[in-house]
Amino acid sequence: MLEALGWGLLAGSSFLIGGLIALRWNVGNSVFLGALTALGAGALLSAVSYKLIAEAGRMAGGSGYVGAGLLGGAVAAAVVTSGKLRGGRLSGPPRHDPSFWIVGLSVIAEAIIITGALLGSAGLSAAVLAAVFLCGFPESMADTGPLRSAGHTRAQIIGGWLSMMLLCGVATAAFTGLLTPAPAVLVAFVLAFAGGGILTYVIVHMIPEAIKDAGAVTGITAAVGFGLSFSLVEILGAH
């Protein structure tokens, strides 16, 4: 569990680093930020496809738990992202109200990605770690400005991103401890649930935000992020 805590803290540190960068330099809505968001989205899609869901499928053994987990995670993420809990509609445009509570849900899902890799047959690879790490930068950089505009102080924002880093570490350690003795089909369901949530979050939140800032460059950088993550899996394997 200590190893899992360390990997989670390392991956989650990108939220703190991105927030500090946004506080030091006003990045705003820029092509660079959009491209960085798309890069992280592509890397996450690759990690979910080739590590999380693939590992869940191996554990489930065709029992249907992967499909159920994917659907459940997608519905849960859609409800949160659309603001349905606050009166929104699933078919309506996603609400982007920066809050550490919403970010925390994505942090937990990303912690499950790391957990899935740690519990998998190949172990944690550089690709998985890089994908989660890359996702934190644009998310914290994009949300820091609106958080300042909403009245949060500099100290509160730094404390919030530090909390996200700690949450990633603690969640990774907790899920590793809880799922290590669990039946394989239950682990598969949890991994697939996180995968469905992340896929929905990437499609309805990250990609639209990237397109708004970077336009067609979004597709190029998303492909680069996907290819980079996949290449790390292929080249480095479990090392």
Side-chain angles (χ1 to χ4, degrees):
M1 289 181 63
L2 287 178
E3 179 186 3
L5 175 66
W7 288 123
L9 289 174
L10 177 59
S13 66
S14 61
F15 288 93
L16 178 61
I17 296 171
L20 291 175
I21 291 174
L23 285 172
R24 178 62 178 83
W25 294 284
N26 183 22
V27 293
N29 295 327
S30 63
V31 174
F32 170 75
L33 185 58
L36 192 61
T37 300
L39 187 75
L44 269 178
L45 288 174
S46 181
V48 169
S49 302
Y50 290 101
K51 298 298 292 184
L52 199 65
I53 301 304
E55 190 62 37
R58 184 189 66 80
M59 291 181 175
S63 61
Y65 280 84
V66 173
L70 275 170
L71 181 60
V75 171
V79 168
V80 173
T81 305
S82 68
K84 186 172 175 61
L85 294 176
R86 294 164 288 165
R89 296 179 294 109
L90 285 180
S91 59
R95 295 186 180 184
H96 182 59
D97 301 328
S99 70
F100 290 116
W101 184 79
I102 298 296
V103 174
L105 295 178
S106 68
V107 169
I108 291 174
E110 290 159 15
I112 296 178
I113 291 183
I114 301 174
T115 301
L118 288 170
L119 297 180
S121 57
L124 181 64
S125 71
V128 175
L129 199 61
V132 178
F133 194 86
L134 281 173
C135 184
F137 274 115
E139 192 161 7
S140 58
M141 289 174 71
D143 285 352
T144 294
L147 285 169
R148 287 295 300 270
S149 300
H152 294 274
T153 66
R154 181 184 179 91
Q156 287 174 330
I157 293 174
I158 293 175
W161 293 128
L162 178 61
S163 298
M164 295 300 101
M165 171 183 165
L166 295 175
L167 176 62
C168 191
V170 172
T172 302
F175 281 121
T176 301
L178 290 172
L179 294 178
T180 297
V185 291
L186 176 59
V187 177
F189 176 83
V190 173
L191 298 185
F193 189 94
I198 290 172
L199 288 174
T200 301
Y201 183 76
V202 166
I203 292 169
V204 303
H205 176 75
M206 294 184 71
I207 295 299
E209 287 290 322
I211 291 175
K212 182 181 68 176
D213 294 337
V217 174
T218 298
I220 300 171
T221 50
V224 171
F226 189 98
L228 177 62
S229 181
F230 176 75
S231 297
L232 286 172
V233 171
E234 289 295 298
I235 295 172
L236 298 180
H239 299 293

